[in-house]
mmCIF file of all heavy atoms in Angstrom:
data_model
loop_
_atom_site.group_PDB
_atom_site.id
_atom_site.type_symbol
_atom_site.label_atom_id
_atom_site.label_comp_id
_atom_site.label_asym_id
_atom_site.label_seq_id
_atom_site.Cartn_x
_atom_site.Cartn_y
_atom_site.Cartn_z
ATOM 1 N N SER A 74 15.244 15.400 12.440
ATOM 2 C CA SER A 74 15.837 16.529 11.765
ATOM 3 C C SER A 74 15.581 16.515 10.227
ATOM 4 O O SER A 74 15.486 17.552 9.565
ATOM 5 C CB SER A 74 17.345 16.699 12.102
ATOM 6 O OG SER A 74 18.060 15.705 11.367
ATOM 7 N N VAL A 122 5.046 13.003 4.759
ATOM 8 C CA VAL A 122 6.309 12.519 5.374
ATOM 9 C C VAL A 122 6.051 11.275 6.191
ATOM 10 O O VAL A 122 5.081 11.208 6.951
ATOM 11 C CB VAL A 122 6.862 13.663 6.318
ATOM 12 C CG1 VAL A 122 8.170 13.155 6.931
ATOM 13 C CG2 VAL A 122 7.108 14.920 5.569
ATOM 14 N N ALA A 146 6.150 0.081 -5.070
ATOM 15 C CA ALA A 146 7.066 -0.237 -6.215
ATOM 16 C C ALA A 146 6.355 -1.116 -7.267
ATOM 17 O O ALA A 146 6.988 -1.977 -7.848
ATOM 18 C CB ALA A 146 8.299 -1.016 -5.654
ATOM 19 N N THR A 162 8.721 -8.563 -10.790
ATOM 20 C CA THR A 162 7.747 -8.754 -11.839
ATOM 21 C C THR A 162 7.343 -7.444 -12.539
ATOM 22 O O THR A 162 7.249 -7.380 -13.746
ATOM 23 C CB THR A 162 6.487 -9.455 -11.252
ATOM 24 O OG1 THR A 162 6.796 -10.636 -10.623
ATOM 25 C CG2 THR A 162 5.402 -9.627 -12.338
ATOM 26 N N GLY A 223 -17.762 6.913 0.321
ATOM 27 C CA GLY A 223 -18.488 6.818 -0.933
ATOM 28 C C GLY A 223 -17.557 6.936 -2.065
ATOM 29 O O GLY A 223 -16.389 7.221 -1.862
ATOM 30 N N GLY A 269 -20.383 -19.768 -18.703
ATOM 31 C CA GLY A 269 -19.163 -20.086 -19.414
ATOM 32 C C GLY A 269 -17.862 -19.547 -18.883
ATOM 33 O O GLY A 269 -16.828 -19.669 -19.471
#
Side-chain angles (χ1 to χ4, degrees):
S74 74
V122 180
T162 300

